[in-house]
Structures are given as C-alpha cells and as structure tokens.
Amino acid sequence: MVEDKCAKSKDAVDYRRLLRKRADELVELLCQSHEYHQFLEARQLLEADADHSYMLNELRQQQLNLRMAAMLGEDISEDSQEFERLFLSLSKEPNISNYLFAEGRFFRLISEVEDAFAQRLGLTRYFDEDAARNTDIRLN
C-alpha cells in the first residue's frame, strides 16, 4: 500500500491553477537566486564568443552521441577517452569553464527542488544509480 505523504484538504480547490501559480512563484524565486544570475552572466559571455560557443555545442553533441551509444550497449571506452581529453582541453578556456561551473551550480539548485518534491511525495528513482554513474558523462 502506498503511503499518502500529503495533507488532505476538504475544500474544493482548483489544484491545477493553484499548482501553476505556485510553480510561477517558485520560478520567480529561482530567478532571484545568485546561481541564476551567475548562470545568465556566464551564458552571455560565452554566447559573445562564437568560437567557444560552437565548440561547447559540438562537445555537447558528442556527449549525446556517447550516451546514446552507451544506452545501445556499444563499447564507448575509446570514444569516451577522446571526449574526456577534448573536455579537459576546452575547460581550460575561461569562458567555457565559467559557464559550465555556473550552469552546474544552477542545475544543482533545480535538482534540490526536484529532490524535495520526490522526497515529500514518496517518489523514488527507477534506475540503477551505479550503472548511471558508470555511463554518465558530465559536463558540470
């Protein structure tokens, strides 16, 4: 039996509208965060540098290709090593490094919000985290 982790309300409420309103409020709080402002600033600097922006987009495409290949059970060890070399090389560029750091901090903030939902609602992750760690290629 599934445990109900939420308080019950007897009032007739338009929950969808209320949830949307509260989601908008949560977005406003996220927009006021230091992490979001750092992310915007870093993104603006990166976008002003067309070459670095292009290189990061190419790296992300390669990352996606590696993830897809790993999901299909293909051997990605050699490609993964090449990806890591390229990533290390690009991360020496200040605009790229600053962007990845700021993006990572902001996404972790969003992840904390998602974790709060999951914990409160009794949701679990339906995947093997050890397997995910072994195949996940992170940029942040």
Side-chain angles (χ1 to χ4, degrees):
M1 179 174 219
V2 176
E3 180 183 347
D4 186 356
K5 305 229 180 206
C6 299
K8 299 206 187 304
S9 173
K10 296 176 184 166
D11 299 329
V13 178
D14 183 351
Y15 286 103
R16 289 184 183 274
R17 182 175 295 151
L18 184 57
L19 284 168
R20 183 62 206 178
K21 180 181 180 208
R22 296 286 166 83
D24 289 341
E25 292 170 1
L26 183 55
V27 169
E28 285 302 316
L29 284 173
L30 286 168
C31 287
Q32 294 172 25
S33 72
H34 179 69
E35 292 85 351
Y36 181 66
H37 289 282
Q38 281 185 324
F39 170 68
L40 288 179
E41 184 179 322
R43 184 173 68 183
Q44 185 177 16
L45 289 172
L46 180 65
E47 289 174 346
D49 186 335
D51 290 338
H52 285 156
S53 186
Y54 175 79
M55 286 189 286
L56 183 59
N57 285 335
E58 287 297 308
L59 186 71
R60 290 235 161 111
Q61 184 60 50
Q62 187 176 357
Q63 179 186 29
L64 179 62
N65 292 342
L66 284 171
R67 283 184 178 167
M68 293 298 292
M71 287 176 21
L72 294 172
E74 297 175 12
D75 180 18
I76 62 165
S77 56
E78 190 175 312
D79 292 334
S80 182
Q81 289 173 352
E82 177 59 31
F83 173 84
E84 288 178 22
R85 280 191 292 276
L86 182 58
F87 171 74
L88 290 173
S89 171
L90 288 178
S91 65
K92 292 176 184 174
E93 297 294 335
N95 282 347
I96 293 174
S97 178
N98 290 339
Y99 173 79
L100 292 173
F101 180 75
E103 179 188 58
R105 287 191 67 216
F106 182 58
F107 286 171
R108 275 190 291 283
L109 181 60
I110 292 172
S111 180
E112 289 172 12
V113 171
E114 291 173 343
D115 288 346
F117 283 125
Q119 185 177 27
R120 174 79 171 142
L121 297 171
L123 304 176
T124 57
R125 299 184 188 256
Y126 295 103
F127 63 90
D128 180 354
E129 290 188 22
D130 289 330
R133 248 184 247 109
N134 292 333
T135 59
D136 193 23
I137 301 161
R138 295 183 183 267
L139 287 178
N140 46 30

